[in-house]
Amino acid sequence: MSSSSSHSSSNFPLKPVPGSYGLPFFGAIRDRLDYFYNQGRDEFFATRIQKYHSTIIKINMPPGPFIAQNSRVIALLDAVSFPVLFDTSKVEKRNVLDGTFFPSVSFTGGYRVCAYLDPSERNHTSLKTFFLSILASKHSTFIPLFRTCLSQLFIDIEDEISSQKKASFNSLSDAISFSFVFRLFCEKDPSTTKIGSKGPKMVDKWLALQLAPLATLNPSSFLKYLDDLLLHTFPFPFFLVKSNYKKLYEAFYEHSARILDKAESFGIKRDEACHNLVFLAGFNAYGGMKSFFPTLIKWVAQAGENLHTQLAHEIRTVLKQEGGVTFQALDKMILTKSVVYESLRIEPPVPFQYGKAKEDMVVHSHDASYEIKKGEMIFGCQPFATNDPKVFHNPREFVGHRFVGEEAEKLLKYVYWSNDRETKDPTVEDKQCPGKDLVVLLARVILVELFLRYDTLRVETKKGIGLESSVTITSLTKATST
């Protein structure tokens, strides 16, 4: 039996994992209704932590019957236990991207794409090497291309505020996010292809049908059972988005020839590479930007004018010294970096991680040890791990300076958004996001472009249908100095 942590825990008592799955079938339905409707995600976990006096507990995770064959998981809800999910020598990552269910491979051209593969599977190494190689070859393109897209974003925001007194950040951000991703991989403006301006909506529908079992339309209480029946009982069929996916696939296949040539040099079939590229671009890249960019703007806007003034001063001072927006200039923006990390910490764009125990193991929390048996599904709720009050002071408060300073930067090892510690870099042997550094880079560039143009901003927010927040910009104050 192995131990999941080097944490000093040899004297911790070994306990059975507390919690209850309830009666077969009915227990899963009960937990699903509590999770989505009766309590909501955070209260669902918080009440069970309090009830069982443990941050490692047995629960059922949605969607449950009839989409998932087995909804039983061991939930890890603290910063100490969570990282076992990164150790692929102890947990299997086969078909667990979406949790306890696996969407039809029809959504990905009949292939199990890289995100669903365990690193021990043969294709994983070649596909992830391919992804890392693509991103490395595009390194010099990231900043100028994204700045071009952001210029259009701020023009669109200002036009919408001018005509409607407010601007929907989400829809405008989605448009430039898709444009950036398509132009990055295909070197072509998507509006000039068969996709036209419909790319974001096409991908949104494709994503929605796959992830519907994990979502809710946030209905009024008397409609919750209809919502549950519609979204969580049976999976949506692929044919509803078949034509849209075909157009996306054909556009990528036609305009990413150089990338697909490279894939063949890694021994990957051309059509398999293209389906993986569509998934990387649509699910991982665009989907991540769709979730994270509104979250970033929400937290920064709500932090107030004092932080805005400090960010504007740092950004404008560094750019004046460096002569432009470069990797070197961005690296010198210490507060800007910290704000991005804090956004990723307080509300990670991917809230859940799963893995199936490859062997019997002992997992440690802050104050106890628990035995997990081979074959059991392990689940981690990342917002609870990265908001652990035993690691972060006032964890539910957005603190822009949280990661400023040598001692503060040591806390980055507890930032897990990329499917590993922020202090680690992705390799072909792990499941860490291959675009980890790109996400952080793009978030910094957003803040740079924002505070080059404006002194402050105000927003209204509400819970979105998916993972992202719904953000409406109500005012932008033009920069008074440069």
Side-chain angles (χ1 to χ4, degrees), residues 45 64 72 74 97 124 141 154 161 226 249 258 322 326 336 342 354 375 405 408 410 417 427 463:
F45 294 121
R72 297 182 172 190
I74 306 294
L97 176 68
H124 184 273
T141 309
F154 289 116
I161 290 176
L226 178 61
Y249 174 83
R258 282 194 284 184
E322 295 295 320
T326 63
T336 305
E342 176 69 344
Y354 287 84
K410 292 178 181 178
W417 72 272
T427 71
K463 182 176 173 57

Side-chain angles (χ1 to χ4, degrees), residues 161-414:
I161 290 176
S162 176
S163 62
Q164 302 179 27
K165 308 302 181 186
K166 58 185 179 180
S168 169
F169 179 80
N170 294 61
S171 59
L172 299 177
S173 174
D174 287 353
I176 67 101
S177 294
F178 182 81
S179 179
F180 170 78
V181 170
F182 193 87
R183 292 166 72 176
L184 181 68
F185 292 127
C186 298
E187 300 179 1
K188 188 86 171 176
D189 186 337
S191 66
T192 65
T193 71
K194 64 178 64 178
I195 295 174
S197 62
K198 297 179 180 178
K201 294 299 182 185
M202 289 179 175
V203 179
D204 287 350
K205 291 177 184 177
W206 175 69
L207 290 172
L209 293 198
Q210 295 175 77
L211 298 177
L214 303 179
T216 174
L217 298 175
N218 302 314
S220 56
S221 58
F222 70 92
L223 290 176
K224 68 182 181 183
Y225 296 109
L226 178 61
D227 183 84
D228 190 54
L229 179 66
L230 176 66
L231 298 180
H232 309 137
T233 308
F234 300 102
F236 284 103
F238 170 66
F239 77 81
L240 296 173
V241 291
K242 183 176 180 179
S243 62
N244 281 343
Y245 184 76
K246 185 172 184 289
K247 289 178 183 177
L248 287 167
Y249 174 83
E250 289 176 348
F252 275 91
Y253 195 92
E254 179 181 355
H255 299 292
S256 64
R258 282 194 284 184
I259 285 179
L260 299 181
D261 290 344
K262 178 177 286 191
E264 289 183 314
S265 73
F266 285 108
I268 305 168
K269 292 185 294 185
R270 200 172 186 87
D271 66 325
E272 181 179 8
C274 191
H275 286 295
N276 270 275
L277 183 61
V278 173
F279 194 90
L280 176 69
F283 196 110
N284 299 129
Y286 169 78
M289 295 161 80
K290 179 181 181 67
S291 172
F292 178 52
F293 289 170
T295 299
L296 174 68
I297 295 300
K298 175 186 76 173
W299 287 109
V300 170
Q302 292 178 343
E305 292 189 23
N306 186 44
L307 178 63
H308 301 169
T309 299
Q310 294 174 51
L311 283 168
H313 176 72
E314 176 183 78
I315 288 165
R316 296 168 195 176
T317 300
V318 171
L319 292 186
K320 186 175 181 179
Q321 293 170 348
E322 295 295 320
V325 183
T326 63
F327 288 101
Q328 182 176 340
L330 291 170
D331 202 47
K332 290 184 176 181
M333 299 175 188
I334 306 302
L335 176 59
T336 305
K337 249 193 288 194
S338 176
V339 167
V340 170
Y341 290 140
E342 176 69 344
S343 300
L344 290 164
R345 179 203 68 82
I346 198 168
E347 193 174 343
V350 180
F352 306 139
Q353 296 292 343
Y354 287 84
K356 187 170 289 187
K358 288 183 175 181
E359 57 188 29
D360 291 352
M361 67 176 78
V362 174
V363 176
H364 310 291
S365 67
H366 286 286
D367 49 20
S369 300
Y370 301 91
E371 185 177 354
I372 294 178
K373 296 293 187 180
K374 178 180 179 180
E376 289 188 301
M377 181 71 88
I378 306 171
F379 156 79
C381 182
Q382 194 171 149
F384 275 75
T386 58
N387 285 274
D388 188 332
K390 294 186 177 180
V391 173
F392 295 102
H393 180 65
N394 293 331
R396 298 290 178 176
E397 178 184 345
F398 183 87
V399 181
H401 294 79
R402 191 180 295 275
F403 298 102
V404 173
E406 187 175 342
E407 286 301 311
E409 286 183 2
K410 292 178 181 178
L411 290 173
L412 286 173
K413 67 181 180 180
Y414 296 109

Side-chain angles (χ1 to χ4, degrees), residues 438-478:
L438 177 58
V439 171
V440 175
L441 173 73
L442 298 183
R444 293 182 201 172
V445 176
I446 287 178
L447 296 183
V448 167
E449 294 298 321
L450 176 64
F451 288 106
L452 275 178
R453 290 171 167 80
Y454 312 104
D455 285 339
T456 189
L457 75 160
R458 292 182 181 178
V459 303
E460 295 174 351
T461 67
K462 62 181 180 179
K463 182 176 173 57
I465 292 176
L467 295 175
E468 76 276 8
S469 302
S470 177
V471 176
T472 301
I473 298 178
T474 57
S475 73
L476 288 167
T477 302
K478 289 277 193 179

Side-chain angles (χ1 to χ4, degrees), residues 37-50:
Y37 311 108
N38 301 333
Q39 295 177 307
R41 185 194 73 187
D42 288 356
E43 186 181 348
F44 175 82
F45 294 121
T47 55
R48 285 155 178 78
I49 290 173
Q50 186 175 25

